[in-house]
Amino acid sequence: MRFVKMHGLGNDFIFVNGFEEKIAERDYSELGKKLCDRFFGIGGDGLVFILPSESADIKMRIINSDGSEAEMCGNAIRCFAKYAYEQGLVDKTKITVETLAGIMGPELILENGKVVAVRVDMGEPRLNREQIPMLGEPGQVVNEALEVDGNIYMITTVSMGNPHCIIFVDDALSFPLTELGPKVEKHTSFPRKTNVEFVQVVNPSEMIMRVWERGAGNTLACGTGACATLVAGVLTGQTDRKAKVHLAGGTLEIEWAENNRIYMTGPATHVYNGELDLTLI
Ligand code: ZDR
């Protein structure tokens, strides 16, 4: 099976071109677990399939490294758009991509014919508790207390098609993310688990964010998480509607436009092409 390794700010993915490689859908989860393993497989935060779509130009399916399927992935979709364009699977710079979170709209930013960045229309944030989903009374979850092991954390939740729980902290870099992250990810309040973002507001147009990803753990960046973080910054009155989000792997620019849609701009990087004998793993 041929594959391509790409990353968006160090959030790394294995891409499989489903137009050429015929993989049965029932094998997606098992393959995701195996191929994403950094010791016995290729290594990656997720496995992404590029597939034909009936409702958009092209379709993306993403399997987390634990074999679960994510509705959406902000970093992967930038890589996805670059790959689809460069491989000639689409012939325009503004495309529509079907995902489990709805149809997204990446736009390639070219310089001298090369893709230098991708701006993605990530759709509208979903703010009602049942849309996250999170248990409890209907309404928005903004600065609400969540108890974990007897400690109280103030959380704000946002769905970008996938669930995010944002916790504002004084110092994101030294926060014990690997301790608290998995406990919030699997907290009983979140029936489909959640991605967890630890965020420090530097000023109204800049934030530092660390992420504990649902199904993937501590990763270097999270595109949907950066979008959810900007929304949480606005809802809590701490940031402007346009801000830079600094992640371990680099910076994303996020805007919550007046049309209620979120636009994310950032890089997408090709690392290498490979070929794998599936009978060996
Ligand atoms: C956070 C993420 N890498 C992105 O860039 O948006 C998405 C990956 C999917 C995530 N682990 C989930 O929602 O299960």
Side-chain angles (χ1 to χ4, degrees):
M1 183 192 76
R2 278 177 299 167
F3 68 91
V4 174
K5 189 74 197 297
M6 297 182 84
H7 75 86
L9 300 180
N11 195 194
D12 63 335
F13 307 98
I14 303 154
F15 283 82
V16 173
N17 182 347
F19 288 84
E20 289 176 0
E21 309 293 332
K22 297 295 169 216
I23 307 287
E25 201 172 318
R26 62 168 190 280
D27 297 331
Y28 283 8
S29 166
E30 196 53 33
L31 211 55
K33 248 195 280 186
K34 280 189 176 160
L35 300 191
C36 290
D37 190 293
R38 295 192 187 277
F39 302 102
F40 294 94
I42 300 163
D45 293 325
L47 170 65
V48 181
F49 291 98
I50 301 153
L51 299 159
S53 168
E54 280 171 16
S55 57
D57 293 327
I58 197 159
K59 176 155 91 180
M60 174 172 97
R61 296 268 306 263
I62 165 151
I63 312 299
N64 287 316
S65 52
D66 73 350
S68 61
E69 181 161 8
E71 299 86 344
M72 212 342 235
C73 178
N75 286 322
I77 202 166
R78 295 196 311 278
C79 299
F80 181 98
K82 175 180 158 84
Y83 179 91
Y85 180 76
E86 290 179 344
Q87 293 300 312
L89 299 174
V90 292
D91 58 1
K92 47 193 177 178
T93 54
K94 204 169 178 177
I95 62 177
T96 53
V97 180
E98 180 188 345
T99 73
L100 291 181
I103 292 182
M104 305 294 153
E107 183 177 355
L108 298 158
I109 301 170
L110 302 179
E111 258 173 37
N112 302 323
K114 287 217 157 89
V115 177
V116 289
V118 184
R119 181 174 194 257
V120 188
D121 175 349
M122 300 282 284
E124 299 186 348
R126 301 158 204 190
L127 303 178
N128 289 328
R129 193 186 294 263
E130 64 276 14
Q131 294 174 303
I132 304 303
M134 182 179 173
L135 302 182
E137 294 298 313
Q140 290 186 11
V141 181
V142 179
N143 268 336
E144 187 174 297
L146 182 80
E147 192 188 325
V148 182
D149 288 347
N151 295 316
I152 297 290
Y153 298 92
M154 302 310 282
I155 66 163
T156 299
T157 60
V158 176
S159 170
M160 289 302 306
N162 55 352
H164 293 274
C165 173
I166 295 94
I167 303 177
F168 289 100
V169 298
D170 292 335
D171 183 353
L173 299 182
S174 67
F175 196 85
L177 162 133
T178 51
E179 258 171 60
L180 187 62
K183 291 180 180 164
V184 178
E185 177 197 3
K186 301 183 183 94
H187 195 281
T188 49
S189 293
F190 299 103
R192 273 158 61 197
K193 302 189 189 158
T194 187
N195 295 289
V196 192
E197 284 79 23
F198 299 94
V199 180
Q200 176 185 344
V201 178
V202 180
N203 61 51
S205 60
E206 261 174 294
M207 287 179 273
I208 300 171
M209 178 193 121
R210 290 291 171 273
V211 61
W212 178 267
E213 270 191 42
R214 174 182 68 167
N218 187 4
T219 64
L220 294 181
C222 176
T224 50
C227 295
T229 288
L230 190 261
V231 173
V234 173
L235 292 177
T236 56
Q238 302 183 84
T239 67
D240 299 335
R241 291 179 75 98
K242 190 172 179 179
K244 286 190 164 69
V245 180
H246 303 293
L247 307 140
T251 299
L252 289 173
E253 286 187 5
I254 315 289
E255 181 178 4
W256 188 3
E258 293 305 327
N259 64 4
N260 196 31
R261 301 181 83 80
I262 307 283
Y263 295 89
M264 170 194 68
T265 308
T269 309
H270 173 256
V271 189
Y272 63 88
N273 294 356
E275 193 157 356
L276 182 80
D277 182 348
L278 286 179
T279 60
L280 296 179
I281 59 157

